[in-house]
Amino acid sequence: MLVFAASDKGGTGRSVTSANLAYQRALAGDHVAYVDFDFGSPTAAAVFDVPSAMRGTEERGLHSYLEGETAEPVRIDVWRQTEHPLLRARPNQSGRLVLFPGDAGGGEFATGEEGLERCIDLLLRLNGEFDLTVVDLSAGRSYAVDMVLAATAHPRMRNVPFRWLVFHRWTRQHVIAASGLVHKEHGIIGGGVERGHDEDTLRAAIRFVRAAVPDPESPLWSQGSPAQAAWMQACDEALRRLAAEHRIGDSVVLGVVPLEPILQWREQLITEEDVLATQIANKETLEALEEIARRLTDDSYWGRP
Ligand SMILES: Nc1ncnc2c1ncn2[C@@H]1O[C@H](COP(=O)(O)OP(=O)(O)OP(=O)(O)O)[C@@H](O)[C@H]1O
Ligand SMILES: [Mg+2]
């Protein structure tokens, strides 16, 4: 299965969250590929703690591949190449976790017919080789979004299952922006239909993930004044109404990731040790990531909205 990670704005939590989802699925035994199609800023390796590719690879990465300069984009075996000490001890039952980085110095670019064919070849190959392929897409209505909409509408990809996760923060601007990315005239649904997708099928394949959400009920906030608690509650409810009005309400949300200091500052994978041993991460955050990772392939969350 292919999972496209999109967001309208930058800095939404798209990479940090989707890398954690990839990690959770690999821990659960799936073979997982993480493809960095954030062409303007391919920094996903930082989240996996792979210093050699922090800002893209110096070898031939995804930019070189899509431009036809190499037949095979470079791969990073995360379990072996990460500097994260806990990740290097790959758990017994885990699946492969392979990062496909962009090129250092590569930028945004429009792909022509040949680039599109190469993109299709890559997605088909990865879908055959991995249980799950997570594709981190440049923010907004980007070339990357266009390319994968066109690729997945192509007859060669007719039988490849795909899903979309649209990440946004829990603020008014982000709610409106995420709704626009999906629902506005040439958004993911409209643009997808223009490229040959069936509207209902595409709509049913899209879910939203709210990232870095302060939970007014959480003990983290229990030290505040009653006035602050009531105010937070009111803001939360107002945002829920706004999201529902913009057709991104609870029924199309796959999960909510709490505001988490170690995601905020460390921008890395949360491990069980972070929660149980060093206790620097909140249990609720790890549970939220585990739950979203499970729901990713659970069909009961992917009926027709
Ligand atoms: N659950 C969270 N709680 C707190 N902070 C978070 C959380 N998730 C992400 N962040 C913070 O948000 C920032 C942006 O996250 P991330 O880089 O994943 O977003 P992005 O949408 O991929 O951004 P870009 O468009 O720059 O690629 C990170 O630097 C991290 O500090
Ligand atoms: Mg990112």
Side-chain angles (χ1 to χ4, degrees):
M1 173 178 296
L2 307 176
V3 171
F4 299 109
S7 68
D8 194 56
K9 290 185 171 291
T12 55
R14 186 183 69 249
S15 303
V16 165
T17 315
S18 50
N20 270 284
L21 297 177
Y23 169 61
Q24 287 299 330
R25 294 306 303 231
L27 282 181
D30 281 353
H31 298 304
V32 183
Y34 191 99
V35 178
D36 198 349
F37 270 10
D38 187 348
F39 295 126
S41 181
T43 55
V47 185
F48 293 102
D49 219 348
V50 178
S52 60
M54 282 301 198
R55 309 187 62 206
T57 175
E58 298 293 339
E59 296 173 67
R60 292 183 184 274
L62 292 169
H63 291 80
S64 299
Y65 169 78
L66 290 168
E67 285 165 350
E69 290 160 17
T70 177
E72 197 53 64
V74 70
R75 302 168 164 229
I76 292 176
D77 177 336
V78 173
W79 299 121
R80 296 176 74 154
Q81 285 176 255
T82 181
E83 293 222 326
H84 193 307
L86 294 171
L87 301 185
R88 291 181 76 111
R90 174 180 170 178
N92 276 341
Q93 308 299 322
S94 61
R96 294 164 61 213
L97 182 55
V98 179
L99 167 67
F100 290 78
D103 293 24
E108 288 290 341
F109 62 101
T111 43
E113 267 311 306
E114 286 180 8
L116 176 61
E117 289 297 326
R118 282 191 280 269
C119 174
I120 294 171
D121 290 342
L122 178 70
L123 294 178
L124 285 173
R125 270 206 317 274
L126 296 183
N127 188 58
E129 183 180 345
F130 295 90
D131 300 304
L132 183 71
T133 298
V134 177
V135 186
D136 184 353
L137 299 165
S138 307
R141 196 56 186 76
S142 55
Y143 289 125
V145 168
D146 257 352
M147 183 173 64
V148 300
L149 277 174
T152 49
H154 196 280
R156 286 173 64 202
M157 294 201 68
R158 195 177 293 127
N159 297 321
V160 177
F162 65 83
R163 285 171 177 167
W164 285 76
L165 293 182
V166 177
F167 293 86
H168 66 87
R169 296 217 166 201
W170 199 219
T171 74
R172 281 191 291 188
Q173 291 189 74
H174 276 262
V175 166
I176 292 165
S179 168
L181 176 65
V182 173
H183 295 299
K184 75 184 174 198
E185 198 182 342
H186 300 290
I188 292 175
I189 295 176
V193 170
E194 286 161 17
R195 280 161 189 75
H197 282 278
D198 171 65
E199 181 169 343
D200 290 338
T201 311
L202 183 56
R203 191 185 301 280
I206 301 173
R207 288 293 181 278
F208 295 82
V209 176
R210 298 173 184 165
V213 178
D215 174 7
E217 311 274 307
S218 137
L220 211 57
W221 303 99
S222 66
Q223 306 300 318
S225 68
Q228 187 190 36
W231 179 82
M232 283 181 72
Q233 202 75 51
C235 287
D236 192 56
E237 279 157 23
L239 282 168
R240 281 174 192 278
R241 284 195 298 277
L242 185 74
E245 282 160 21
H246 282 78
R247 293 186 281 166
I248 65 170
D250 292 353
S251 65
V252 286
V253 172
L254 195 67
V256 177
V257 184
L259 186 70
E260 170 62 55
I262 88 156
L263 289 180
Q264 167 87 29
W265 285 317
R266 208 170 65 177
E267 299 182 301
Q268 283 172 9
L269 305 179
I270 295 192
T271 64
E272 219 168 44
E273 284 79 357
D274 294 327
V275 174
L276 298 177
T278 57
Q279 303 188 0
I280 55 172
N282 292 297
K283 164 171 115 314
E284 291 77 10
T285 307
L286 185 60
E287 285 171 355
L289 292 165
E290 288 167 347
E291 182 173 70
I292 301 171
R294 269 196 307 276
R295 289 178 176 175
L296 257 184
T297 54
D298 179 346
D299 289 343
S300 60
Y301 287 92
W302 297 87
R304 294 191 168 222

